[in-house]
Amino acid sequence: MKLARRISWLSSLILPLMAVAAQALTLSPTSLSLAPGAKTTIEVKRVKGTVTLANSNPTAVSASLVSGKVNVTANAAGVATLSVTDPSGTKTAKVTVTAPLGVSPGSASLSVGQSVPLTVANAIGTITIANSNLASVGTSLSGNVITVTGKAAG
């Protein structure tokens, strides 16, 4: 077989495959990080035929497919994989819901010698504390509890 004929034969196989790949279903974005209560959309493009939506974790994320978009609502901390399928295949988007860092109570008034525990919630990684007034307030950390102690007026 001559070289020109081989190239022609190969291109007759490759070009249709490239055309199909270029027309395949797409999602944008394919990865999201949200706080509980946040809402956003994922664009669905190049749809061919009937489209379905599957959600791996409806407790963490609510999702609905409307007019070429996936409407996403973050419900609770967790991770969900949203899968959109049409006859050309399936595409996925990962949605991570992370609860915000919290400290409870949010403020405290202390007398000299009095202590109050502050509980840190939803920390990711190591908790560190800083104290801008060591003469007036003592602080210590044990796990996710910060103990604040009044040392002097201030």
Side-chain angles (χ1 to χ4, degrees), residues 17-44:
L17 290 175
M18 289 175 29
V20 168
Q23 296 173 9
L25 175 74
T26 64
L27 301 180
S28 180
T30 57
S31 182
L32 295 165
S33 293
L34 303 170
K39 296 181 180 193
T40 191
T41 59
I42 297 172
E43 295 289 329
V44 181

Side-chain angles (χ1 to χ4, degrees), residues 30-36 42 54-63 72-83 92-99 124:
T30 57
S31 182
L32 295 165
S33 293
L34 303 170
I42 297 172
N55 181 350
S56 70
N57 189 352
T59 301
V61 174
S62 298
V72 178
T73 301
N75 298 327
V79 177
T81 300
L82 303 178
S83 301
T92 61
K94 179 181 174 183
V95 182
T96 303
V97 181
T98 306
I124 298 173

Side-chain angles (χ1 to χ4, degrees), residues 115-129:
S115 295
V116 65
L118 306 176
T119 303
V120 179
N122 304 319
I124 298 173
T126 304
I127 299 171
T128 58
I129 56 175

